[in-house]
Amino acid sequence: MAPSVAAKGDQGLKSLVWQKLKASVFDDCWKEEEWKIILLDDFTTKLLSSCGKMTDLLAEGITVVENVYKNREPVPHMKAIYLITPTVKSVEGLINDFASKSSSKYKAAYVYFTDFCDDKLFNRMKSSCSKAIRRCKEININFLPYESQVFTLDVPDAFHQCYSPSTEKTNDAILEQMAEQIVTLCATLEENPGVRYKSKPLDNASKLAQLVEKKLENFYKIDERSQIKCKTYSQLLIIDRGFDPVSTVLHELTFQAMAYDLLPIENDTYKYKTDGASGKEREAILEEDDDLWVKIRHKHIANVLEYVCLCLLLILHNY
């Protein structure tokens, strides 16, 4: 599905996710000259950070970003956007903010779930704070755009759950979760792909592929225009880690891997000083806006060295 990602925006997947967040969340509750607070949980904090900046939020009328889990000072004259995952912990954070009318932290709540909210959790929220909620929607973005054509499901224990002999009988739950997340990726790309997989050496890929296919069928039975969405030309390939186990023990020889190995890069930001240790500190942000970084990050170190030397020669020649 990579070609369609690149075709729909200069920054690919990150740009698509931001545009969907803007349309589904910020434009949905937009009111001119009205400032709002946004409440995030751990996952949505990473989601928003991966595709937007504070300046982008300010442009959408957001003045404060808060964690829904933490205690906060009430701001009863302002409305709040809750961009959260449909989990018990996040929903309880929302409910606690509107425990009673006299102690409500905010004027009203605009609630946006990253994925499907089950009936039990929805009814719990409905019975506790429905009067304070102005909007309640599912936006179907349950993955993190890491680069223009790279994403992660942010499930760190997935490898253990799928391959450990002790969890062999309980790995269906993790596959179910990942399948739901992959469907939200397809929804963001507006794709209904054909699903292909390699069945051996284990059946994890087969199980996941079948789950994804079933959930895609359910999701796309009726689209927003009440029409059945047919299969698109894209193909979704699901490959078991056993297909290429050697890659996990090889060291990457790309420029990106070398940079992260040798330099103190934190949150994709490299801080350095000019003119020695006593110089002024500067920072370089390694992101999609940096054309040179995007061009060379995935190239072999030797190729990057040749390219940099060529660039220096061109600069000297033009100078």
Side-chain angles (χ1 to χ4, degrees):
M1 293 188 292
S4 60
V5 177
K8 290 186 179 182
D10 294 338
Q11 295 183 18
L13 193 55
K14 284 194 171 190
S15 179
L16 279 175
V17 170
W18 172 254
Q19 291 302 321
K20 187 172 181 180
L21 283 172
K22 187 179 184 306
S24 302
V25 179
F26 303 119
D27 290 352
D28 185 64
C29 59
W30 169 263
K31 189 175 182 181
E32 194 171 352
E33 297 183 0
E34 181 181 69
W35 295 96
K36 293 185 178 70
I37 295 172
I38 189 166
L39 283 300
L40 307 171
D41 56 25
D42 292 342
F43 179 84
T44 53
T45 297
K46 289 187 281 188
L47 173 62
L48 210 53
S49 299
S50 69
C51 61
K53 302 176 182 177
M54 193 61 208
T55 51
D56 298 321
L57 295 179
L58 286 170
E60 300 301 329
I62 305 299
T63 57
V64 181
V65 180
E66 297 274 18
N67 189 312
V68 73
Y69 301 147
K70 296 180 179 179
N71 291 324
R72 290 160 269 112
E73 289 294 322
V75 192
H77 65 281
M78 292 187 72
K79 297 175 183 176
I81 297 173
Y82 286 79
L83 178 58
I84 54 178
T85 51
T87 61
V88 174
K89 187 177 180 182
S90 295
V91 171
E92 285 299 328
L94 162 65
I95 292 172
N96 291 338
D97 288 347
F98 299 93
S100 66
K101 190 174 182 180
S102 58
S103 63
S104 295
K105 281 188 167 63
Y106 309 108
K107 186 177 180 180
Y110 294 79
V111 183
Y112 300 91
F113 289 116
T114 56
D115 204 350
F116 173 75
C117 180
D118 65 65
D119 292 341
K120 184 178 179 181
L121 204 57
F122 180 80
N123 291 333
R124 167 89 174 101
M125 180 181 64
K126 183 180 177 181
S127 63
S128 302
C129 58
S130 60
K131 292 183 179 179
I133 297 175
R134 299 285 179 85
R135 297 273 200 287
C136 186
K137 292 185 176 181
E138 297 162 354
I139 62 172
N140 295 307
I141 307 178
N142 197 7
F143 63 93
L144 301 179
Y146 190 71
E147 291 181 6
S148 59
Q149 297 191 48
V150 179
F151 71 94
T152 174
L153 302 181
D154 194 39
V155 188
D157 60 340
F159 188 85
H160 173 74
Q161 290 288 335
C162 291
Y163 291 96
S164 173
S166 62
T167 60
E168 187 176 354
K169 295 181 179 179
T170 60
N171 69 350
D172 289 347
I174 202 77
L175 291 174
E176 187 93 16
Q177 177 189 337
M178 289 192 293
E180 290 172 356
Q181 291 180 273
I182 291 171
V183 169
T184 69
L185 169 69
C186 296
T188 300
L189 297 173
E190 297 182 359
E191 296 283 358
N192 186 8
V195 182
R196 296 176 179 270
Y197 63 92
K198 183 173 177 60
S199 59
K200 296 180 180 181
L202 299 178
D203 61 353
N204 286 330
S206 172
K207 285 182 180 179
L208 182 59
Q210 290 172 25
L211 285 169
V212 170
E213 180 66 36
K214 182 179 179 180
K215 291 179 183 298
L216 275 172
E217 183 181 349
N218 292 335
F219 184 85
Y220 280 128
K221 274 183 178 177
I222 299 179
D223 66 9
E224 293 178 354
R225 297 179 300 277
S226 297
Q227 297 173 341
I228 295 175
K229 188 174 181 69
C230 298
K231 286 288 184 182
T232 52
Y233 290 109
S234 58
Q235 298 292 312
L236 174 62
L237 304 179
I238 298 178
I239 300 174
D240 190 282
R241 182 71 266 175
F243 174 75
D244 182 24
V246 178
S247 295
T248 59
V249 294
L250 290 178
H251 196 289
E252 284 282 352
L253 295 175
T254 63
F255 180 70
Q256 184 182 51
M258 183 187 73
Y260 277 83
D261 279 347
L262 303 179
L263 299 175
I265 299 173
E266 295 183 5
N267 298 321
D268 297 328
T269 302
Y270 170 52
K271 295 182 180 180
Y272 62 97
K273 289 185 177 181
T274 57
D275 302 323
S278 60
K280 184 179 179 181
E281 186 175 84
R282 297 178 180 275
E283 64 178 34
I285 302 175
L286 307 178
E287 59 181 0
E288 304 298 316
D289 291 333
D290 188 332
D291 293 336
L292 180 60
W293 170 251
V294 170
K295 188 171 184 178
I296 67 176
R297 63 186 173 186
H298 294 154
K299 290 185 176 181
H300 192 280
I301 299 168
N303 295 332
V304 173
L305 185 60
E306 291 178 5
Y307 180 75
V308 170
C309 290
L310 179 62
C311 289
L312 286 172
L313 288 173
L314 288 173
I315 292 171
L316 290 172
H317 177 74
N318 294 331
Y319 184 76

